[in-house]
Amino acid sequence: MCPAVSQVLSETDDGGIRGNPVIVALLLSLCLSRPPSVEACPASCLCASDIISCSGRNLSKLPFDLPGYATRLDLSHNVLSTLRVDWLAETSDRLAALILSRNIISQIEPDSLALAPHLRHLDLSSNRLAVLNASAFRGLEELEVLLLFGNQITQINSGAFDGLRSLQRLYLSGNRLTVFPMELYKGPGGPGNLTFLDLSSNMVSQVPVRSLLSLTALQQGGIYLQGNPLVCERALQAMLEYWEWKQYRSVVDFRSDYPCRLNGDGTGEEPNWAGSQHGVLNPFLVAEAHQIEPGDWLTVPCPGLVPPVQGEVVVFWVTPRMVLHSSTDDDHDPNSRLRVLPNGSLEIRGAVVEDSGTYSCVASRGRRRDPGESPQVAVLVGNASGADGLAHGSGAEHFNTAFTTLASCVVSIVLVLLYLYLTPCRCRGGRGGADRGCGGRAILLCSDPREADSGERRTNGKRVAFLEPQVEDSDKCGPKTPAMNLARATTEGILKNGNRTAGQALTERAHVV
């Protein structure tokens, strides 16, 4: 019973309980409505708002129940060896970041991380993980960043990253991987949003060049391979040169950490791209454009490629729908509409409208690329008016935008002038022959057939008068509004289209309709 209630109750002689019922009811309501005690910060840990830090406490397991308010838990620099399925007493719905770096974790039990389904950041770096099992990260559908660098990983089992639909950044550097994990991009249940993969400083010697070139530009630009013992064959050399031309930071920033000579001369100097500034690629650089009609054949030479005197030509053509390789048997199928010729050129047979687009020739030139040289070619099938759009890229779009803006300005000015000069100005005579209703700033275009004799008018009887201003009476117009006195205007300001002489005085009254 609540202590405050027990104090106001007393036992009667016959064993009953007596007390003021009003006071008892009030105290009972206060006891029942009292909020539960706030969860305290775990012993030997530091807490700040929703952050719990237990770093460097020599912990071999989690000795407490995780408070429900925690969104970030730091267990780094401890001696945790296994992440067990019961490491949390219950599922945490608020935990978004878990730091387990610099422990001795060598095993992750199946479904152990499913107790934190809303994790977005997981740090398992600098541990002793050797194999990633298929169920290691199951249940982490909201995970965005996964850090696994500095482990001893030699094998990634199939399906290890299945279900990580939100994963964007994966750090696997400093491990012992020998095979490029292409399943990350091509696996049916893999992370489809992965745009950053750090595979540097592993033991990878070969990479699937053709498969990598088939990825999106955002995915290719986020693959880091420096520090691996890569065999610098022609296919790899071609891909790295192409990535350098695309100015991918993974190659530009770590050029000296690749075994291949990316600039063709081994100097490691910055390439001088025409139209580029401070390492920014100019997107307007396109070598040439080809326009053909549907059903035609077209042979597109690889820009800047000089076939070697000895050896096979290794060329990849990145088309709008696929990647073709000169040394692949499938690309020499006589029934295929697109194929790579022995000299590296691309042949398009029976072109269709869907073949329109930008084609990139990925090949090792064996020399330093000339300034302004581009490996891309624009092909248009059908509409000839679109050839310039493919050739010039977004330049035509910028021009059209500027032209539209200029035309809009001109139209606006014309409309303003028409409003100012064609809007009727009503000037009617008042008492005493005074004119009123027109300000002194108005320029009048007057036309009244009664002002001129019918014999003296030629075409329309119009006259333009530049009239001298005269201040009107204060009771008729404001003190700041000048007026035009038409009766006192002289012939010095008259431009006529009739036969009247320049010295003739204007005696008629001007009527403005």
Side-chain angles (χ1 to χ4, degrees):
M1 181 181 293
C2 183
V5 177
S6 61
Q7 292 178 3
V8 299
L9 297 178
S10 61
E11 187 176 356
T12 61
D13 296 337
D14 55 357
I17 298 177
R18 64 182 176 180
N20 191 328
V22 177
I23 298 177
V24 172
L26 179 61
L27 292 177
L28 283 175
S29 62
L30 291 176
C31 290
L32 294 177
S33 61
R34 184 190 307 178
S37 59
V38 178
E39 298 175 275
C41 181
S44 70
C45 296
L46 300 177
C47 299
S49 184
D50 57 349
I51 300 176
I52 299 178
S53 176
C54 303
S55 177
R57 303 297 181 180
N58 200 32
L59 299 176
S60 58
K61 64 178 181 178
L62 203 61
F64 54 84
D65 293 339
L66 183 66
Y69 59 81
T71 61
R72 181 182 179 90
L73 176 60
D74 186 358
L75 294 171
S76 61
H77 294 85
N78 284 289
V79 290
L80 300 174
S81 59
T82 302
L83 196 60
R84 301 186 182 279
V85 69
D86 58 348
W87 72 282
L88 283 178
E90 58 183 8
T91 302
S92 175
D93 293 329
R94 297 190 60 186
L95 189 62
L98 178 59
I99 314 299
L100 294 168
S101 60
R102 296 192 177 279
N103 280 271
I104 55 174
I105 299 175
S106 59
Q107 182 182 3
I108 301 176
E109 293 186 354
D111 299 324
S112 60
L113 292 170
L115 297 174
H118 301 294
L119 272 182
R120 296 197 303 270
H121 182 100
L122 176 58
D123 187 354
L124 285 166
S125 61
S126 301
N127 279 280
R128 298 180 182 178
L129 294 173
V131 178
L132 296 181
N133 296 319
S135 57
F137 307 106
R138 188 162 53 195
L140 302 181
E141 296 183 356
E142 300 181 15
L143 188 65
E144 299 176 357
V145 180
L146 177 57
L147 289 79
L148 294 169
F149 63 85
N151 279 273
Q152 303 171 10
I153 302 174
T154 59
Q155 180 180 351
I156 300 177
N157 292 335
S158 178
F161 299 101
D162 286 357
L164 303 184
R165 302 173 182 175
S166 302
L167 187 62
Q168 301 176 10
R169 305 177 70 88
L170 176 58
Y171 296 81
L172 285 169
S173 62
N175 283 281
R176 302 176 182 177
L177 294 172
T178 58
V179 179
F180 186 92
M182 198 64 203
E183 189 180 16
L184 286 169
Y185 300 98
K186 299 298 184 179
N193 296 322
L194 188 65
T195 57
F196 182 94
L197 174 60
D198 185 3
L199 205 65
S200 61
S201 301
N202 275 272
M203 302 176 66
V204 179
S205 59
Q206 293 183 336
V207 294
V209 174
R210 185 177 182 179
S211 298
L212 293 180
L213 290 175
S214 66
L215 301 178
T216 65
L218 187 61
Q219 290 174 328
Q220 292 184 49
I223 298 176
Y224 287 73
L225 297 171
Q226 73 277 5
N228 282 279
L230 297 170
V231 178
C232 192
E233 55 186 5
R234 292 182 180 178
L236 178 63
Q237 176 81 25
M239 184 185 71
L240 293 178
E241 288 184 9
Y242 178 67
W243 283 3
E244 185 186 39
W245 179 83
K246 298 284 285 187
Q247 291 290 283
Y248 292 153
R249 307 314 307 178
S250 57
V251 174
V252 175
D253 293 343
F254 301 95
R255 182 183 293 108
S256 60
D257 294 332
Y258 286 92
C260 301
R261 297 184 305 170
L262 299 182
N263 291 331
D265 55 2
T267 61
E269 299 177 357
E270 287 284 345
N272 183 21
W273 308 113
S276 64
Q277 185 177 6
H278 303 295
V280 179
L281 179 64
N282 188 341
F284 303 124
L285 291 178
V286 177
E288 54 184 326
H290 300 271
Q291 193 275 327
I292 58 176
E293 295 298 327
D296 292 349
W297 287 34
L298 176 65
T299 300
V300 182
C302 182
L305 177 63
V306 178
V309 178
Q310 296 180 353
E312 182 184 8
V313 177
V314 178
V315 175
F316 297 89
W317 276 95
V318 181
T319 73
R321 291 183 292 176
M322 66 183 73
V323 177
L324 302 176
H325 187 198
S326 58
S327 61
T328 304
D329 295 336
D330 296 339
D331 297 334
H332 297 285
D333 184 3
N335 297 323
S336 177
R337 292 191 307 103
L338 301 178
R339 69 188 187 99
V340 182
L341 300 178
N343 62 354
S345 300
L346 176 66
E347 184 179 63
I348 302 177
R349 303 180 178 183
V352 295
V353 177
E354 289 75 12
D355 293 331
S356 299
T358 301
Y359 292 69
S360 300
C361 180
V362 181
S364 176
R365 271 71 176 177
R367 56 176 176 78
R368 189 179 181 88
R369 196 185 303 273
D370 295 333
E373 183 180 358
S374 170
Q376 294 182 339
V377 177
V379 175
L380 179 70
V381 180
N383 185 12
S385 61
D388 293 337
L390 287 174
H392 299 288
S394 59
E397 180 181 353
H398 296 317
F399 173 77
N400 292 335
T401 303
F403 180 78
T404 302
T405 304
L406 179 61
S408 301
C409 294
V410 173
V411 171
S412 300
I413 295 174
V414 171
L415 292 176
V416 171
L417 293 177
L418 290 176
Y419 173 79
L420 293 176
Y421 288 98
L422 296 184
T423 303
C425 180
R426 301 177 62 86
C427 296
R428 293 175 293 184
R431 293 183 179 181
D435 298 320
R436 56 186 300 182
C438 291
R441 298 179 183 178
I443 298 177
L444 305 180
L445 298 178
C446 300
S447 175
D448 191 352
R450 294 175 295 176
E451 290 185 352
D453 298 335
S454 59
E456 295 178 348
R457 297 198 311 268
R458 290 189 176 180
T459 56
N460 55 9
K462 290 186 178 180
R463 295 166 176 79
V464 179
F466 298 88
L467 305 179
E468 297 179 355
Q470 182 177 2
V471 180
E472 294 182 343
D473 296 337
S474 61
D475 59 342
K476 297 180 181 180
C477 296
K480 295 183 180 181
T481 305
M484 305 294 290
N485 193 338
L486 302 180
R488 301 185 56 183
T490 62
T491 58
E492 296 177 355
I494 297 176
L495 301 177
K496 63 186 183 66
N497 58 355
N499 294 325
R500 304 176 63 182
T501 61
Q504 184 177 357
L506 178 62
T507 58
E508 298 89 355
R509 178 177 296 273
H511 299 277
V512 179
V513 182

